[in-house]
Structures are given as C-alpha cells and as structure tokens.
Amino acid sequence: MMMGLLEKYRSSSDYREILRILQKSTSLRDNFLWQSHVGGKNIIPIHQIEIDFVSRDLVAIFDSKQFKLDAHLPIYVKLDYRSSVFKVTEFREIFNSLHFSFPKEMKTMELRDTTRYHFSADFEKTISLRPTLSGGREAGDDLEVRIMDISRQGMGLMVSEKNRIFLKNNRILWITKLGGRDLDYPLLAEVLYISNGFEEKTLHRTHQVMKVGVKFSEILSQDFFDLFIG
C-alpha cells in the first residue's frame, strides 16, 4: 500500500467489528485473496465467502483448477466491504474451497469524510461517559477518558485497560461532560472498536491503555464541534 493509502487504514481486533465486516462481505462480489512470491503476486478471485459460526471458520470458494496456492506461503484476504485486509498463515484447501479461522485482527478503511481535529499531547481534553441517563453509574461516578481526536461524526479516545470490560458491556454510551463541565444536552455515541492494550509512559508512571473509537448518533453541528475543540 502507498503511504497515503495506509493513513486511511486502521487496525481492528474487536471481534464484533470483525464479524460485522465479514458478514457484510459475504454478500459482495469483489473479494479476492493473494499470495506474494519471487515472481510477483498470485491474485485469486473469491466466488463466495461462507461463515461457519460453529467452528468460527471462514470458507472461501475459488477456482482451484485455474488458480494454484502454495501451502508454504501466507495468504492475504482483501474484502470488498471497506477494503478490509487480513493475513492468513494456517489454512486448509479442500477441492474448490479454502478453510481458515476467523482473523484476530484486520486492517480496515477508516470512513472519515469530515475534518478530524487531533489534540496535542500537552493539551489534554477529557469527556465523561455514562451507560444510561437514569440509573447505572451515579452522577460524579462517570467514566472520564481522554480525547485523542474528533470529527463531527465521532472521536478517538484513550482509555485505561482496566475499563475494557465496562466498554465491551456498554457499547452505547452517553457523553455527559466535557472537561468536567456538564453538557446541556448529553450526546449519544456507539463504541465501534477497541484496540489491543499497550503501555503508555507518563511523567510519573507507566500504565496500560487502549484506543477506542466511538461514533455519534448524529453529526455534530459546527457550534457543538467548536465547543469540543475550543
């Protein structure tokens, strides 16, 4: 991939997002796989993708008479939905079909068609999240997290690894505060992906964090967007 194209991709290891991408791709036609070798790339069209939910396997149907696979080389799968890509190192070829496990991680196109504002490391902006506006976490006990970047459609957050279960169990959340101040109108958002945890070093300590992407239930007005970046 060219550098400009790579910047439009992100990695996802969230099972539900990966499954959603796979399900969307089963009804699309321009899926293919390839193997890279000394002579170049062997590109193989996929006629159909099937999902085996029992074994959590994927089955890719292709023309095994016309296209030959090298069992010693990894396979790369390109899905038509959001131009998603993942690597397969272990697979079984059975007649006209290729069988392999669900990917644990894939690259997927970042669908950002509005301007995204990135916050600098020395300018920390936070929001507070709550799973419900009635009951649940009490006011004052909201989950406060850092904003990495924001567009009028969604935002990227930096969240402590210890809050992973909370986010996985609460995919729909209310944004109730900005920088410690109550919002006049709480904003509804959906968790789209949660990254693998990684170490973040601060001045005083090192701790495990993860990147989280959320999508707003509606596109922010320009005034509301300006409130977040102001």
Side-chain angles (χ1 to χ4, degrees), residues 107-146:
K107 299 282 187 182
T108 187
M109 184 73 79
E110 185 67 277
L111 301 179
R112 295 174 175 174
D113 54 8
T114 56
T115 301
R116 183 159 290 261
Y117 179 88
H118 295 265
F119 293 93
S120 62
D122 56 353
F123 182 71
E124 185 172 297
K125 179 87 74 165
T126 65
I127 58 168
S128 294
L129 302 171
R130 194 186 302 174
T132 176
L133 294 181
S134 58
R137 293 172 85 101
E138 298 294 334
D141 190 31
D142 293 355
L143 176 62
E144 186 176 21
V145 299
R146 255 170 43 228

Short mmCIF file of all heavy atoms in Angstrom, two decimals, residues 107-146:
data_model
loop_
_atom_site.label_atom_id
_atom_site.label_comp_id
_atom_site.label_asym_id
_atom_site.label_seq_id
_atom_site.Cartn_x
_atom_site.Cartn_y
_atom_site.Cartn_z
N LYS A 107 -6.97 -5.03 8.94
CA LYS A 107 -6.88 -3.62 8.58
C LYS A 107 -8.16 -3.25 7.86
O LYS A 107 -8.61 -3.98 6.95
CB LYS A 107 -5.68 -3.37 7.65
CG LYS A 107 -4.32 -3.71 8.25
CD LYS A 107 -3.86 -2.64 9.19
CE LYS A 107 -2.43 -2.91 9.64
NZ LYS A 107 -1.98 -1.90 10.61
N THR A 108 -8.75 -2.14 8.23
CA THR A 108 -9.99 -1.73 7.60
C THR A 108 -9.95 -0.24 7.29
O THR A 108 -9.31 0.54 8.01
CB THR A 108 -11.21 -2.09 8.48
OG1 THR A 108 -12.42 -1.83 7.77
CG2 THR A 108 -11.21 -1.31 9.78
N MET A 109 -10.63 0.15 6.23
CA MET A 109 -10.62 1.53 5.80
C MET A 109 -11.30 2.42 6.82
O MET A 109 -12.37 2.09 7.32
CB MET A 109 -11.33 1.67 4.44
CG MET A 109 -11.28 3.06 3.85
SD MET A 109 -9.64 3.50 3.23
CE MET A 109 -9.64 2.64 1.66
N GLU A 110 -10.65 3.51 7.17
CA GLU A 110 -11.23 4.47 8.10
C GLU A 110 -12.19 5.35 7.33
O GLU A 110 -11.80 6.06 6.41
CB GLU A 110 -10.12 5.32 8.73
CG GLU A 110 -10.60 6.27 9.80
CD GLU A 110 -11.11 5.54 11.02
OE1 GLU A 110 -12.29 5.13 11.00
OE2 GLU A 110 -10.36 5.39 11.99
N LEU A 111 -13.48 5.29 7.71
CA LEU A 111 -14.51 6.05 6.99
C LEU A 111 -14.70 7.41 7.65
O LEU A 111 -15.63 7.61 8.43
CB LEU A 111 -15.82 5.26 6.98
CG LEU A 111 -15.74 3.88 6.33
CD1 LEU A 111 -17.09 3.19 6.41
CD2 LEU A 111 -15.28 4.00 4.88
N ARG A 112 -13.80 8.30 7.36
CA ARG A 112 -13.90 9.63 7.93
C ARG A 112 -14.03 10.63 6.79
O ARG A 112 -13.07 10.94 6.12
CB ARG A 112 -12.65 9.97 8.75
CG ARG A 112 -12.47 9.09 9.98
CD ARG A 112 -11.15 9.39 10.64
NE ARG A 112 -11.00 8.65 11.88
CZ ARG A 112 -9.90 8.63 12.61
NH1 ARG A 112 -8.83 9.30 12.20
NH2 ARG A 112 -9.84 7.94 13.74
N ASP A 113 -15.25 11.12 6.59
CA ASP A 113 -15.43 12.06 5.48
C ASP A 113 -15.67 13.47 5.99
O ASP A 113 -16.16 14.32 5.27
CB ASP A 113 -16.59 11.60 4.58
CG ASP A 113 -17.88 11.38 5.36
OD1 ASP A 113 -17.92 11.72 6.56
OD2 ASP A 113 -18.84 10.88 4.75
N THR A 114 -15.33 13.73 7.26
CA THR A 114 -15.37 15.09 7.78
C THR A 114 -14.02 15.39 8.42
O THR A 114 -13.26 14.50 8.75
CB THR A 114 -16.48 15.26 8.83
OG1 THR A 114 -16.28 14.31 9.88
CG2 THR A 114 -17.86 15.03 8.22
N THR A 115 -13.73 16.66 8.58
CA THR A 115 -12.45 17.08 9.12
C THR A 115 -12.25 16.52 10.53
O THR A 115 -13.15 16.56 11.36
CB THR A 115 -12.38 18.62 9.18
OG1 THR A 115 -12.56 19.13 7.86
CG2 THR A 115 -11.04 19.07 9.72
N ARG A 116 -11.06 15.99 10.79
CA ARG A 116 -10.74 15.43 12.10
C ARG A 116 -9.69 16.29 12.77
O ARG A 116 -8.65 16.59 12.20
CB ARG A 116 -10.26 13.98 11.97
CG ARG A 116 -9.98 13.29 13.29
CD ARG A 116 -10.00 11.80 13.14
NE ARG A 116 -11.35 11.32 12.89
CZ ARG A 116 -12.15 10.82 13.83
NH1 ARG A 116 -11.74 10.75 15.07
NH2 ARG A 116 -13.34 10.39 13.52
N TYR A 117 -9.99 16.69 14.00
CA TYR A 117 -9.10 17.54 14.77
C TYR A 117 -8.32 16.68 15.76
O TYR A 117 -8.91 15.90 16.52
CB TYR A 117 -9.90 18.60 15.52
CG TYR A 117 -9.08 19.53 16.38
CD1 TYR A 117 -8.54 20.70 15.84
CD2 TYR A 117 -8.84 19.25 17.72
CE1 TYR A 117 -7.78 21.56 16.62
CE2 TYR A 117 -8.08 20.11 18.50
CZ TYR A 117 -7.56 21.26 17.95
OH TYR A 117 -6.82 22.11 18.72
N HIS A 118 -6.98 16.78 15.77
CA HIS A 118 -6.13 16.00 16.66
C HIS A 118 -5.66 16.88 17.81
O HIS A 118 -5.14 17.98 17.59
CB HIS A 118 -4.92 15.44 15.90
CG HIS A 118 -5.29 14.46 14.84
ND1 HIS A 118 -5.31 13.10 15.04
CD2 HIS A 118 -5.68 14.65 13.54
CE1 HIS A 118 -5.68 12.48 13.94
NE2 HIS A 118 -5.91 13.40 13.01
N PHE A 119 -5.82 16.37 19.03
CA PHE A 119 -5.38 17.11 20.20
C PHE A 119 -3.90 16.81 20.46
O PHE A 119 -3.47 15.66 20.39
CB PHE A 119 -6.21 16.71 21.42
CG PHE A 119 -7.65 17.13 21.33
CD1 PHE A 119 -8.60 16.27 20.81
CD2 PHE A 119 -8.04 18.40 21.74
CE1 PHE A 119 -9.93 16.66 20.71
CE2 PHE A 119 -9.36 18.80 21.63
CZ PHE A 119 -10.31 17.93 21.11
N SER A 120 -3.13 17.83 20.78
CA SER A 120 -1.71 17.64 21.06
C SER A 120 -1.54 16.97 22.42
O SER A 120 -2.41 17.04 23.29
CB SER A 120 -0.98 18.98 21.04
OG SER A 120 -1.49 19.84 22.05
N ALA A 121 -0.39 16.31 22.60
CA ALA A 121 -0.14 15.55 23.82
C ALA A 121 -0.11 16.45 25.06
O ALA A 121 -0.43 16.00 26.16
CB ALA A 121 1.18 14.80 23.69
N ASP A 122 0.27 17.71 24.90
CA ASP A 122 0.37 18.61 26.06
C ASP A 122 -0.92 19.41 26.28
O ASP A 122 -0.96 20.31 27.12
CB ASP A 122 1.56 19.56 25.90
CG ASP A 122 1.49 20.37 24.60
OD1 ASP A 122 0.59 20.09 23.78
OD2 ASP A 122 2.33 21.26 24.41
N PHE A 123 -1.97 19.10 25.51
CA PHE A 123 -3.26 19.78 25.70
C PHE A 123 -4.33 18.71 25.91
O PHE A 123 -4.91 18.21 24.96
CB PHE A 123 -3.60 20.65 24.48
CG PHE A 123 -4.88 21.42 24.64
CD1 PHE A 123 -4.96 22.49 25.51
CD2 PHE A 123 -6.01 21.07 23.91
CE1 PHE A 123 -6.14 23.21 25.65
CE2 PHE A 123 -7.20 21.77 24.04
CZ PHE A 123 -7.26 22.84 24.93
N GLU A 124 -4.52 18.33 27.16
CA GLU A 124 -5.41 17.21 27.47
C GLU A 124 -6.86 17.67 27.56
O GLU A 124 -7.20 18.60 28.29
CB GLU A 124 -4.99 16.56 28.79
CG GLU A 124 -5.78 15.31 29.13
CD GLU A 124 -5.21 14.58 30.33
OE1 GLU A 124 -4.06 14.12 30.24
OE2 GLU A 124 -5.93 14.48 31.34
N LYS A 125 -7.73 17.01 26.79
CA LYS A 125 -9.17 17.29 26.82
C LYS A 125 -9.87 15.98 27.18
O LYS A 125 -9.54 14.93 26.64
CB LYS A 125 -9.63 17.78 25.45
CG LYS A 125 -11.11 18.08 25.36
CD LYS A 125 -11.44 19.50 25.79
CE LYS A 125 -11.02 20.52 24.75
NZ LYS A 125 -11.62 21.84 24.97
N THR A 126 -10.81 16.06 28.10
CA THR A 126 -11.50 14.85 28.57
C THR A 126 -13.00 14.96 28.37
O THR A 126 -13.56 16.06 28.26
CB THR A 126 -11.21 14.58 30.06
OG1 THR A 126 -11.78 15.64 30.84
CG2 THR A 126 -9.73 14.47 30.32
N ILE A 127 -13.65 13.78 28.33
CA ILE A 127 -15.10 13.70 28.37
C ILE A 127 -15.48 12.68 29.44
O ILE A 127 -14.65 11.90 29.89
CB ILE A 127 -15.71 13.27 27.02
CG1 ILE A 127 -15.15 11.90 26.60
CG2 ILE A 127 -15.51 14.32 25.96
CD1 ILE A 127 -15.91 11.27 25.45
N SER A 128 -16.74 12.68 29.85
CA SER A 128 -17.26 11.69 30.80
C SER A 128 -18.33 10.87 30.12
O SER A 128 -19.18 11.40 29.39
CB SER A 128 -17.83 12.39 32.04
OG SER A 128 -16.81 13.04 32.76
N LEU A 129 -18.28 9.55 30.36
CA LEU A 129 -19.20 8.60 29.73
C LEU A 129 -20.08 7.96 30.78
O LEU A 129 -19.63 7.65 31.89
CB LEU A 129 -18.41 7.51 29.00
CG LEU A 129 -17.44 7.97 27.91
CD1 LEU A 129 -16.59 6.80 27.44
CD2 LEU A 129 -18.20 8.59 26.74
N ARG A 130 -21.34 7.70 30.39
CA ARG A 130 -22.28 7.04 31.28
C ARG A 130 -23.17 6.13 30.44
O ARG A 130 -23.63 6.54 29.36
CB ARG A 130 -23.13 8.08 32.01
CG ARG A 130 -23.91 7.52 33.20
CD ARG A 130 -24.84 8.56 33.79
NE ARG A 130 -24.14 9.77 34.21
CZ ARG A 130 -24.77 10.86 34.65
NH1 ARG A 130 -26.10 10.87 34.70
NH2 ARG A 130 -24.08 11.93 35.00
N PRO A 131 -23.41 4.88 30.88
CA PRO A 131 -24.20 3.95 30.07
C PRO A 131 -25.68 4.30 29.97
O PRO A 131 -26.35 3.90 29.04
CB PRO A 131 -24.00 2.60 30.76
CG PRO A 131 -23.61 2.94 32.15
CD PRO A 131 -22.86 4.22 32.07
N THR A 132 -26.19 5.05 30.94
CA THR A 132 -27.61 5.43 30.92
C THR A 132 -27.78 6.75 31.64
O THR A 132 -26.98 7.09 32.54
CB THR A 132 -28.49 4.35 31.57
OG1 THR A 132 -29.85 4.81 31.61
CG2 THR A 132 -28.02 4.05 32.99
N LEU A 133 -28.81 7.50 31.29
CA LEU A 133 -29.08 8.77 31.96
C LEU A 133 -29.97 8.59 33.18
O LEU A 133 -30.20 9.52 33.94
CB LEU A 133 -29.73 9.76 30.98
CG LEU A 133 -28.83 10.22 29.84
CD1 LEU A 133 -29.56 11.21 28.95
CD2 LEU A 133 -27.54 10.83 30.36
N SER A 134 -30.49 7.38 33.35
CA SER A 134 -31.31 7.08 34.53
C SER A 134 -30.81 5.79 35.14
O SER A 134 -30.81 4.74 34.50
CB SER A 134 -32.79 6.94 34.15
OG SER A 134 -32.97 5.92 33.20
N GLY A 135 -30.30 5.83 36.35
CA GLY A 135 -29.72 4.65 36.97
C GLY A 135 -28.31 4.44 36.49
O GLY A 135 -27.67 5.33 35.93
N GLY A 136 -27.77 3.23 36.66
CA GLY A 136 -26.40 2.93 36.24
C GLY A 136 -25.40 3.67 37.09
O GLY A 136 -25.60 3.86 38.28
N ARG A 137 -24.35 4.15 36.47
CA ARG A 137 -23.34 4.90 37.21
C ARG A 137 -23.95 6.20 37.71
O ARG A 137 -24.65 6.90 36.97
CB ARG A 137 -22.13 5.19 36.32
CG ARG A 137 -21.37 3.94 35.93
CD ARG A 137 -20.32 4.28 34.89
NE ARG A 137 -19.09 4.74 35.52
CZ ARG A 137 -18.01 3.99 35.68
NH1 ARG A 137 -18.04 2.73 35.30
NH2 ARG A 137 -16.91 4.47 36.22
N GLU A 138 -23.73 6.53 38.95
CA GLU A 138 -24.28 7.75 39.52
C GLU A 138 -23.52 8.96 38.99
O GLU A 138 -22.36 8.87 38.60
CB GLU A 138 -24.17 7.71 41.05
CG GLU A 138 -24.96 6.58 41.70
CD GLU A 138 -26.45 6.74 41.51
OE1 GLU A 138 -26.89 7.90 41.36
OE2 GLU A 138 -27.16 5.73 41.51
N ALA A 139 -24.20 10.10 39.02
CA ALA A 139 -23.54 11.35 38.64
C ALA A 139 -22.33 11.54 39.54
O ALA A 139 -22.40 11.33 40.75
CB ALA A 139 -24.50 12.52 38.77
N GLY A 140 -21.22 11.97 39.00
CA GLY A 140 -19.99 12.11 39.77
C GLY A 140 -19.15 10.85 39.72
O GLY A 140 -18.01 10.85 40.13
N ASP A 141 -19.73 9.75 39.22
CA ASP A 141 -19.01 8.49 39.11
C ASP A 141 -18.94 8.06 37.64
O ASP A 141 -18.83 6.90 37.33
CB ASP A 141 -19.71 7.42 39.94
CG ASP A 141 -18.87 6.14 40.05
OD1 ASP A 141 -17.63 6.26 40.04
OD2 ASP A 141 -19.45 5.05 40.13
N ASP A 142 -19.01 9.02 36.73
CA ASP A 142 -18.91 8.74 35.31
C ASP A 142 -17.48 8.30 34.98
O ASP A 142 -16.55 8.54 35.73
CB ASP A 142 -19.23 9.99 34.48
CG ASP A 142 -20.69 10.40 34.61
OD1 ASP A 142 -21.46 9.66 35.25
OD2 ASP A 142 -21.05 11.46 34.07
N LEU A 143 -17.34 7.63 33.84
CA LEU A 143 -16.02 7.22 33.38
C LEU A 143 -15.41 8.38 32.61
O LEU A 143 -15.89 8.77 31.54
CB LEU A 143 -16.14 5.98 32.49
CG LEU A 143 -14.83 5.48 31.86
CD1 LEU A 143 -13.86 5.05 32.95
CD2 LEU A 143 -15.11 4.34 30.90
N GLU A 144 -14.33 8.96 33.13
CA GLU A 144 -13.66 10.08 32.49
C GLU A 144 -12.52 9.56 31.62
O GLU A 144 -11.68 8.79 32.10
CB GLU A 144 -13.14 11.08 33.52
CG GLU A 144 -12.56 12.34 32.89
CD GLU A 144 -12.13 13.36 33.93
OE1 GLU A 144 -11.90 12.98 35.10
OE2 GLU A 144 -11.99 14.54 33.57
N VAL A 145 -12.49 9.95 30.36
CA VAL A 145 -11.47 9.47 29.42
C VAL A 145 -10.92 10.64 28.61
O VAL A 145 -11.54 11.70 28.49
CB VAL A 145 -12.05 8.40 28.47
CG1 VAL A 145 -12.54 7.19 29.26
CG2 VAL A 145 -13.20 8.97 27.64
N ARG A 146 -9.73 10.41 28.03
CA ARG A 146 -9.07 11.43 27.22
C ARG A 146 -9.50 11.36 25.77
O ARG A 146 -9.67 10.28 25.22
CB ARG A 146 -7.55 11.23 27.30
CG ARG A 146 -6.86 12.23 28.17
CD ARG A 146 -5.43 11.93 28.46
NE ARG A 146 -4.66 11.48 27.31
CZ ARG A 146 -3.88 10.41 27.36
NH1 ARG A 146 -3.81 9.66 28.43
NH2 ARG A 146 -3.17 10.08 26.33
#
